[in-house]
Structures are given as C-alpha cells and as structure tokens.
C-alpha cells in the first residue's frame, strides 16, 4: 500500500508548503475536468491532502507509519465527531437522491388537495375578483340610463348577469336587458 506521501510524490519530512505545491501540481493534471483527468486519482489526492495538510492528522498518520501499524484510510475519528471538513471527500462522493422522501411528500400533497376538494361546498359561489368585464355569473349594479357595471358579489347588487349578448339583442324573460360599457346587451336576473 502506497503512503499518502508517495501518492503526492513528496518525502515524509516535506514542509507544509512542499505538500501544498505537490498537491496543486498533481490536482491540475488529474482533475476530472482536465484533459486526461482521473476522478479516482483525484479522490486519492484529496484524501492525501486532507490528511497531510492538517497537523494533527499528519502527526497521527506519521505515528502509525513509524509504528508499522496499518494506517486506516479514513482518519475521520480525530476528535471532531467524525464531521468532514469543507471540501473533504468521503467514499464515492455521490449522494443518493431521496426518492422515498420526495414520493412521500407528493402523496401527502395529493391527499391534502384531494381532501380539500372533497370538503368544498359545490353550491357555494366561486369568489371572483371584479375586473370590470361582465360575463355570465357576474354580479352587477344598475346605473342611470339602463347601464350596468360589475360589483363584488359580497356587497349590494341589483342582480346577476345570466347572459351577455351582441348589441341590440333581446333578452329572454324574466331577465331585464341593460347595456355594459362595451355596449353589449347584458341580461340580468334580479336579486
């Protein structure tokens, strides 16, 4: 098994600056985005940098080398609670997409929307914003000169538009014929 020093191509007594320069030189060549780059080799270099750039990890690594004991590849148990440093590479570096979590959230959302739809009152009028355009079902107020304008259904009103016809059309009874600002005939049911 090659040591982290051998993988970076430096001596065991290399200074932190020499280790940094060796890492940067090799990283430029082996980075997966570089021509001929190698992701596995880059992961090795990152792990070597993680161990050798930290004085505490390097000291533990060197002590293991001197004792001739096998040095574990993962030196995460260094008193930090196993939390990796920013940019540290662990394992393959890939995160699994939380398929089941997303699926559970979608199911909950569908059930929520479905139950809200099932509890709605189908006879209740659908609230609509007053936009000034009279359509069948719009609440209207009668103005002087047989003109009508749209008003909120929650307030006072003279009736509801049952149909909107071409100008000079005749409304069926029991509706009354009025004119909107677009000069169309509006058939209004009183109430």
């Amino acid at each position: 098994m090659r040591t982290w020093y051998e993988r970076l191509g430096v001596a065991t007594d290399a200074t932190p600056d020499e280790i940094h320069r060796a890492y940067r030189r090799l990283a430029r060549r082996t980075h997966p985005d570089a021509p001929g780059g190698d992701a596995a080799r880059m992961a090795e270099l990152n792990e070597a940098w993680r161990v050798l750039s930290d004085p505490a990890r390097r000291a533990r690594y060197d002590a293991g080398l001197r004792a001739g004991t096998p040095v574990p590849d993962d030196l995460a148990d260094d008193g930090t609670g196993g939390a990796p440093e920013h940019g540290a590479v662990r394992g393959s570096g890939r995160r699994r997409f939380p398929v089941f979590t997303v699926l559970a959230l979608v199911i909950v959302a569908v059930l929520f929307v479905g139950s809200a739809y099932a509890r709605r009152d189908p006879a209740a009028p659908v609230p609509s914003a007053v936009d000034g355009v009279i359509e069948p079902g719009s609440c209207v107020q009668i103005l002087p000169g047989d003109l009508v304008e749209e008003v909120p259904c929650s307030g006072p009103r003279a009736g509801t538009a049952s149909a909107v016809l071409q100008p000079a059309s005749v409304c069926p009874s029991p509706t009354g014929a009025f004119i909107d600002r677009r000069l169309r005939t509006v058939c209004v049911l009183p109430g």
Side-chain angles (χ1 to χ4, degrees):
M1 179 172 141
R2 293 175 48 199
T3 67
W4 294 131
Y5 293 107
E6 291 169 342
R7 291 177 186 172
L8 284 179
V10 296
T12 56
D13 62 346
T15 66
D17 190 45
E18 292 171 332
I19 292 171
H20 184 253
R21 282 195 307 259
Y23 169 76
R24 299 268 308 187
R25 175 178 41 82
L26 291 171
R28 274 189 232 113
R29 290 186 204 152
T30 60
H31 193 277
D33 292 342
D38 182 6
R41 175 80 171 116
M42 189 66 203
E44 284 182 2
L45 290 176
N46 284 335
E47 184 63 17
W49 171 251
R50 185 180 75 85
V51 172
L52 299 179
S53 66
D54 183 329
R57 285 189 179 122
R58 183 176 179 184
R60 284 192 21 221
Y61 182 76
D62 289 344
L65 284 178
R66 283 191 299 276
T69 58
V71 178
D73 283 345
D74 184 11
L75 294 176
D77 187 18
D78 58 357
T80 64
E85 292 179 358
H86 175 69
V89 174
R90 281 227 177 141
S92 67
R94 296 184 65 198
R95 291 183 176 239
R96 293 184 59 213
F97 184 76
V99 174
F100 294 111
T101 304
V102 171
L103 183 61
L105 289 174
V106 167
I107 289 171
V108 167
V110 167
L111 290 175
F112 177 75
V113 170
S115 67
Y117 182 76
R119 285 187 302 228
R120 78 180 183 355
D121 181 11
V126 177
S128 63
V130 175
D131 59 3
V133 178
I134 299 175
E135 298 172 344
S138 296
C139 296
V140 295
Q141 182 65 38
I142 300 173
L143 303 173
D146 287 338
L147 297 175
V148 291
E149 71 176 354
E150 185 180 26
V151 294
C153 291
S154 59
R157 63 179 191 256
T160 305
S162 64
V164 179
L165 307 173
Q166 294 297 322
S169 298
V170 177
C171 290
S173 68
T175 61
F178 299 92
I179 306 292
D180 71 354
R181 62 185 175 141
R182 293 183 172 184
L183 302 177
R184 299 178 301 174
T185 301
V186 178
C187 301
V188 177
L189 284 171

